Amino acid sequence: MKKFGTVIISMVVLFFLTQTINQQIKDNNLPTETGNSTKSGNPAAKEEKQELPRIGFLAPSFELKGLDGKSYRLSDQQKASKPVLVNFWASWCEPCHLEAPMLTDLYAKYKDKAEFYAVNLTKSDSVDLAYEFVDQYKFEFPVLLDESASVKKKYYAYSIPTTYFINKDGVIIDVAIGVLPPDVFEDKILRMINE
């Protein structure tokens, strides 16, 4: 009988604990279904999207130096309302060598409609090897040097190649980890351009 009473008490405690956790989760989800937020004190203020390296969120902003010596900011493309493909790669990455000719071909086809940024993981690569890679595959799009690995960390690009497809509003609409078949890759680019 004592065992039965202990089970009942445990179930009641578990029930109330679950209710408390669920209420805390609800309390922390302040934005309403209409997209309004009360965080600013103005219930009619429109909630801004958060920057996260996930589909449906704004692409995390960054600024990197390119192989050409120029500085590139993702926000410049967002201000221009131009979709951007951000591809993370390194010269030692065999799948990146497989993907490179496809990137070259697709950029030639869509360069008027979208920007491509090839982010070299320079901290684990070298500028000299990046130059050789770019020369070998005839990259005409900006090649950016992530010398501190800060952008790699922002985008969780720990497996390469990793490609983010960002629409003209700066929202990530798709992510590809690894090499994709050319037709699938192109479909993602077209969706990025047309969304």
Side-chain angles (χ1 to χ4, degrees):
M1 192 71 169
K2 282 185 181 181
K3 205 175 199 181
F4 181 72
T6 304
V7 169
I8 295 291
I9 290 171
S10 296
M11 288 175 62
V12 170
V13 169
L14 185 61
F15 172 77
F16 282 109
L17 184 61
T18 304
Q19 293 301 317
T20 303
I21 291 170
N22 285 336
Q23 189 59 48
Q24 286 178 346
I25 290 169
K26 286 179 187 174
D27 291 345
N28 287 330
N29 290 335
L30 294 177
T32 64
E33 289 179 15
T34 59
N36 294 334
S37 173
T38 57
K39 290 180 184 177
S40 66
N42 179 0
K46 190 174 181 182
E47 181 186 6
E48 291 190 28
K49 282 193 177 282
Q50 186 179 4
E51 283 189 1
L52 277 176
R54 293 175 45 195
I55 294 170
F57 289 85
L58 285 176
S61 57
F62 63 80
E63 182 173 357
L64 290 172
K65 184 179 79 172
L67 273 179
D68 59 5
K70 295 179 185 176
S71 185
Y72 292 87
R73 288 189 305 242
L74 182 63
S75 60
D76 290 344
Q77 297 306 318
Q78 292 167 345
K79 286 175 189 169
S81 293
K82 195 169 185 182
V84 185
L85 178 149
V86 179
N87 177 266
F88 292 89
W89 65 280
S91 65
W92 46 260
C93 161
E94 285 305 317
C96 298
H97 283 272
L98 294 173
E99 183 180 69
M102 178 174 56
L103 284 172
T104 301
D105 292 345
L106 290 169
Y107 180 71
K109 193 170 182 179
Y110 296 108
K111 64 183 173 185
D112 294 333
K113 297 179 180 177
E115 187 60 78
F116 286 32
Y117 285 161
V119 179
N120 175 259
L121 303 185
T122 317
K123 187 169 183 174
S124 63
D125 205 352
S126 79
V127 175
D128 289 340
L129 292 174
Y131 269 115
E132 286 178 23
F133 187 99
V134 168
D135 188 50
Q136 179 181 353
Y137 295 108
K138 311 284 188 256
F139 281 3
E140 293 181 9
F141 41 86
V143 176
L144 314 182
L145 304 173
D146 190 11
E147 296 174 299
S148 66
S150 61
V151 179
K152 169 191 170 181
K153 290 174 187 169
K154 267 188 178 184
Y155 279 81
Y156 305 136
Y158 296 107
S159 177
I160 55 174
T162 293
T163 305
Y164 284 82
F165 301 86
I166 304 165
N167 72 11
K168 63 182 174 18
D169 298 319
V171 176
I172 296 169
I173 62 155
D174 212 335
V175 181
I177 299 172
V179 181
L180 298 175
D183 58 330
V184 173
F185 204 96
E186 186 169 12
D187 286 347
K188 290 178 185 298
I189 291 172
L190 287 170
R191 186 170 154 240
M192 173 185 81
I193 290 169
N194 294 322
E195 187 166 297

